[in-house]
Amino acid sequence: MASAAEQLASNLNFAAFAKAEDLKKRIWFTLGALLVYRLGTYIPMPGINPEAFAQAFQQQSGGVLGMFNMFAGGAVERMAIFALGIMPYISASIIMQLMTSVVPSLEQLKKEGEQGRKVINQYTRYGTVLLATVQAYGIAVGLEGGANIVTDPGWFFRLSAVITLVGGTMFLMWLGEQITARGIGNGISLIIFSGIVAGLPSAIGGTLELGRTGAMSTGLILAIIVLAIVVIGVIVFFERAQRRLLIQYPKRQVGNRMFQGDTSHLPLKLNTAGVIPPIFASSLLLLPATVAGFSDTTQLPAWAGSLLATLGHGQPLYMVLYAALIAFFAFFYTAIVFNPKDTADQLKKHSGFIPGYRPGERTAEYIDYVLTRITVVGAIYLVLVCLLPEFLISATGVPFYLGGTSLLIVVSVTLDTVAQVQGHLIAHQYEGLIKKSKLRGGKRGR
C-alpha cells in the first residue's frame, strides 16, 4: 500500500489535476472566501477619523499593534471591521485545549468522539465571543482616548464598535470553518496566511526603496534575500522532520490460518507546538511597551521607565526573554496537544505495543521521554528561526513582515495546504483505478 501511494504521488501532474473536478471546486471556493476576507480588511469601522487614527497608529506600530496588524492583514492599520482578526478564536481554542487537560468533565467530553468535539467547539465559540467583546470594548475606549480619532465619543460609539468588531471576528471564524469543510487546507491558518502574504509586497517594496535611496546597501539587501531563503529551507526541513516509533501488533489466528502481526509507526513531529510559541512570546513581550505608549510615560517611576527601555524591540534583554518564552511555550503547548498516556492507552486498546516496553504505563513513559528529547530540538529550532531575523530587523530596520514568525507561518501553512492538495489528487486517482477495475470485472462477468 505504501509503495502504491508513493508511486501515485510521484505521478501527480497537471493532467490529474485537470480531471479532479472536486478539488478544483474546493480551490475556487477557498480563493473566493479569502477574497471576501481581503475585501473586509478595507471596510472601515464607523465613527472613526481615518487620518487621525493613521497618525496615532504610526506612533505605536512598533509594539504589539504592529504584530496584530500583520496577522490581521493590515485591518488594524485601517481600523477595519476585521481589525480583531481571528486572534480571539485562536486564544479561545488554546484556552479550551488547556481546560480539557485540567477539567475532568471537559476531558471526558474530549474522549467521547465526534459528539464531544462538537460540544467543545461550541464552548470555544462562546469563549471567542467573550474574548472578542472584551477586546473590542478595550479598543473602543482606547480610541476615545486618542486625539480626534472618534468623531462622536460616547456609549453609542462603544456599542457600535463592539458589535462591529465582534461581528467581524465571528464572521471570520465562520468563514474559516467553511474553508476547512468545503475548501482546501485549514481555514483559520489560511486566513492568517493571506493576511501576512498581502503585506509582503509593500514590505519588499519598502526594502527596495531603502536600497534605491541609499539608506540600505545593495550587499545588505542581497544578504537579506539569502538569509530569507536559508530560513525557508530550514523551516521546510524541520517542519517535515519526524521521529517514528515502531509499533507492532501480535499474530492473530482466523480459523485454521495464522496471520503474521502487522507493524506500523507512531510519528512524533519535531515541532509539535507549531507557530504558537513565537506568537505568544511576541505578544507578551510587546504588550508592556504598547500599554506604556498609550499612557503618560512621565508619570512612571524611574525604574519602570528604564525597564521599558531595556524591553524595547531589539534590545538584549528583549532577545533573551523572547528566546526563553519561545522555549517555554514550545514545551507548554506540546504538553497540551499531545498526551502520551492517552496514546499509550489507545495502543493498548488496539493490541499494539512498542518492542521492548510493556503496554500501558511503561509505554507512556517511553513516549514522553522521546517527545521531551525531540521537543528540545524543536524549541532550539524555533528560537534560532525567530531570533536570527530579529537581530537583522533591529540592526537594519527591515520591515516587521520579514520576521521569523511571519516566515514560519507562511511556510508551514503552504506545506500543509500542498499536502492536502496531494492527498485529494491521490484519492482521486485511487477512485479512478477502482472504477476501472469494477468496469473490467463487470465485462468479464458478462
Side-chain angles (χ1 to χ4, degrees), residues 80-165:
I81 58 175
F82 291 158
L84 276 182
I86 203 68
M87 296 304 289
Y89 177 74
I90 294 176
S91 301
S93 300
I94 294 171
I95 292 173
M96 189 55 59
Q97 287 176 351
L98 177 61
M99 296 293 287
T100 54
S101 302
V102 297
V103 178
S105 58
L106 291 177
E107 188 176 2
Q108 185 61 34
L109 274 175
K110 186 178 179 181
K111 296 178 180 179
E112 290 181 3
E114 183 66 21
Q115 189 62 33
R117 188 180 65 82
K118 289 181 179 179
V119 175
I120 292 176
N121 286 343
Q122 194 64 28
Y123 289 159
T124 304
R125 296 187 184 98
Y126 295 149
T128 302
V129 174
L130 179 61
L131 289 176
T133 301
V134 172
Q135 293 180 18
Y137 181 78
I139 289 174
V141 173
L143 291 174
E144 287 184 341
N148 302 322
I149 294 178
V150 180
T151 56
D152 187 17
W155 278 104
F156 179 78
F157 168 75
R158 297 180 186 179
L159 182 62
S160 64
V162 169
I163 293 175
T164 302
L165 294 177

Side-chain angles (χ1 to χ4, degrees), residues 192-237:
I192 299 176
F193 167 86
S194 63
I196 295 175
V197 170
L200 282 176
S202 61
I204 295 173
T207 304
L208 295 178
E209 180 64 20
L210 291 175
R212 188 186 68 83
T213 57
M216 187 179 294
S217 65
T218 305
L220 182 58
I221 295 177
L222 293 176
I224 292 171
I225 295 174
V226 172
L227 179 62
I229 294 173
V230 171
V231 170
I232 291 172
V234 170
I235 292 173
V236 171
F237 176 79

Side-chain angles (χ1 to χ4, degrees), residues 319-333:
M319 296 296 188
V320 172
L321 291 178
Y322 187 40
L325 286 173
I326 288 176
F328 168 76
F329 281 117
F331 283 93
F332 178 75
Y333 194 69

Side-chain angles (χ1 to χ4, degrees), residues 344-368:
D345 290 341
Q346 288 295 323
L347 288 176
K348 186 177 181 180
K349 180 180 178 181
H350 293 88
S351 302
F353 64 94
I354 298 177
Y357 296 91
R358 186 178 303 170
E361 190 66 28
R362 287 285 298 138
T363 299
E365 291 176 359
Y366 176 70
I367 295 175
D368 182 64

Side-chain angles (χ1 to χ4, degrees), residues 13 45 119 136 173 185 224 262 264 298 310 317 368:
N13 49 38
M45 193 175 71
V119 175
M173 182 185 70
I224 292 171
D262 295 330
S264 64
T298 59
T310 56
L317 182 59
D368 182 64

Side-chain angles (χ1 to χ4, degrees), residues 407-430:
L407 286 177
L408 183 63
I409 293 173
V410 169
V411 176
S412 300
V413 175
T414 301
L415 289 175
D416 292 340
T417 306
V418 169
Q420 287 204 25
V421 171
Q422 290 181 342
H424 278 281
L425 287 176
I426 291 174
H428 176 74
Q429 290 194 350
Y430 268 128

Side-chain angles (χ1 to χ4, degrees), residues 50-61 65 143 146-147 149 293-294:
E51 295 179 358
F53 176 76
Q55 185 177 0
F57 178 83
Q58 289 299 323
Q59 299 174 357
Q60 301 296 327
S61 59
L65 289 182
L143 291 174
I149 294 178
F294 284 110

